[in-house]
Amino acid sequence: MPGPWTDELHALLLVGTGGTIGSVARHLFGFLARLGGLPADQGHLSTMAINATGSLVAGWLLRQFGPVNSAAFMFWGLGFCGGFTTFSSYSREFVTLMRDNRHLEAGAYMVLSVALGVAGYMAGWALAGKGG
């Protein structure tokens, strides 16, 4: 029977499926970075790149496929980008850098992560190229 529950189930499936794919892609990105020689104590650089890339894609998607409740944005924006990017890893890595007395690196990581995320989102929005 159509109605709000059917619509919400559809949304949950879109976001959940996209999130699953995004989470797997995030893990694979980190694995490939380590396989490519990124030292274990520099894993936060991979997280920063992931978050900046995910923000760029999210900005592009919202402008291209908005509004937020569109099926495309639910799958790719909320789902995939939400699963691909990670605030929890960012927070853990910041605290680890601080705990390891790498204060300057931790501060740079904090500022650059936020700046690159916002800049990535704005660049994605601009790249979508729609008026408005």
Side-chain angles (χ1 to χ4, degrees):
M1 117 175 58
W5 286 105
T6 303
D7 293 344
E8 190 59 27
L9 180 59
H10 184 247
L12 288 170
L13 289 173
L14 286 169
V15 173
T17 303
T20 299
I21 295 168
S23 294
V24 170
R26 186 218 179 289
H27 182 78
L28 183 60
F29 188 102
F31 170 73
L32 292 173
R34 290 187 307 276
L35 194 63
L38 185 68
D41 69 342
Q42 298 297 313
H44 58 284
L45 298 177
S46 173
T47 299
M48 187 166 42
I50 287 166
N51 288 339
T53 302
S55 294
L56 182 138
V57 172
W60 185 86
L61 286 166
L62 184 59
R63 191 161 191 197
Q64 194 68 29
F65 297 111
V68 174
N69 63 348
S70 71
F73 189 77
M74 278 193 247
F75 181 85
W76 290 108
L78 298 178
F80 180 83
C81 289
F84 185 65
T85 60
T86 172
F87 192 78
S88 58
S89 291
Y90 159 77
S91 299
R92 177 186 51 81
E93 290 163 350
F94 173 78
V95 168
T96 298
L97 289 168
M98 291 297 289
R99 186 190 64 220
D100 292 347
N101 292 317
R102 295 164 66 184
H103 299 117
L104 184 59
E105 192 173 356
Y109 177 57
M110 179 178 64
V111 170
L112 281 173
S113 290
V114 173
L116 290 173
V118 171
Y121 186 92
M122 292 170 64
W125 182 268
L127 287 172
K130 286 189 169 185

